[in-house]
Amino acid sequence: MVTVKMLKPYYIKADENYVRIMLAYQYFSIVMEEKVYQFIPVEANEIKINRKTKKVENIDARFAFQNEKNVVYVTMTKLMTLPDFQKQLDSIAESYYFKQEVSISKVEFKNETALIIAELEKANVKRMIDRALDERDEVIFNELVKLL
């Protein structure tokens, strides 16, 4: 059984589409058969995540881990099956994901703005009706009542 003991990024790069979590010695370790294996950057040394879908893109990557003289290779596919790995990965990359809440709040803001404008226009028509009544202008009054 494989478990993740520690997963810390060496550094994180984010571009328009991807979050790249760069790994280095002593920042990533796993426990396998009751032995701790430290990550060594022999093959893959990054985890590439799509910022929109939040999915790992480089699932074919192989990571090397060393315990004394023993080197084992673990694929990204195998790591993705570990709940600890998923949780730690999400907590690291979460702040770099695109927030859908922001786009929803923009839509809500636009809807609220449209409602406020409609209310203001209606209040304006009511004031104009009051003015038409004060001036006893029946033609303008009838036209304004049709707008309500």
Side-chain angles (χ1 to χ4, degrees):
M1 170 117 182
V2 178
T3 57
V4 176
K5 181 176 181 187
M6 178 178 59
L7 174 61
K8 293 182 181 177
Y10 179 63
Y11 67 92
I12 299 173
K13 278 168 103 172
D15 61 28
E16 189 176 325
N17 299 316
Y18 300 103
V19 175
R20 287 181 167 82
I21 299 170
M22 306 306 289
L23 305 169
Y25 295 104
Q26 301 176 353
Y27 288 88
F28 186 17
S29 60
I30 60 172
V31 176
M32 184 184 285
E33 299 173 7
E34 298 181 15
K35 293 180 185 172
V36 176
Y37 288 82
Q38 297 290 329
F39 168 77
I40 54 174
V42 174
E43 287 194 26
N45 66 343
E46 76 172 358
I47 302 168
K48 185 177 174 182
I49 304 172
N50 187 309
R51 292 180 72 186
K52 293 176 186 168
T53 63
K54 302 178 185 177
K55 299 209 186 259
V56 175
E57 294 282 322
N58 60 335
I59 58 171
D60 57 335
R62 258 179 35 146
F63 297 95
F65 295 90
Q66 184 175 19
N67 178 313
E68 296 177 5
K69 300 258 181 200
N70 298 332
V71 176
V72 295
Y73 295 92
V74 181
T75 63
M76 179 64 78
T77 308
K78 174 69 176 168
L79 289 171
M80 294 299 292
T81 64
L82 307 174
D84 293 348
F85 182 77
Q86 287 282 8
K87 286 178 189 172
Q88 290 185 41
L89 198 59
D90 285 342
S91 68
I92 291 167
E94 185 177 10
S95 63
Y96 295 92
Y97 293 148
F98 288 126
K99 306 258 189 287
Q100 290 186 355
E101 296 171 11
V102 172
S103 62
I104 291 171
S105 65
K106 285 181 182 178
V107 169
E108 288 175 0
F109 179 75
K110 287 180 181 179
N111 288 342
E112 287 178 24
T113 304
L115 286 172
I116 291 170
I117 290 171
E119 287 176 17
L120 289 171
E121 288 174 345
K122 192 173 186 178
N124 193 34
V125 169
K126 287 180 181 179
R127 279 192 293 276
M128 291 170 70
I129 288 173
D130 284 344
R131 185 189 305 162
L133 286 172
D134 289 344
E135 295 174 1
R136 301 192 186 281
D137 191 339
E138 192 174 329
V139 174
I140 292 177
F141 172 80
N142 288 328
E143 287 179 26
L144 292 171
V145 169
K146 290 176 188 176
L147 295 176
L148 292 178

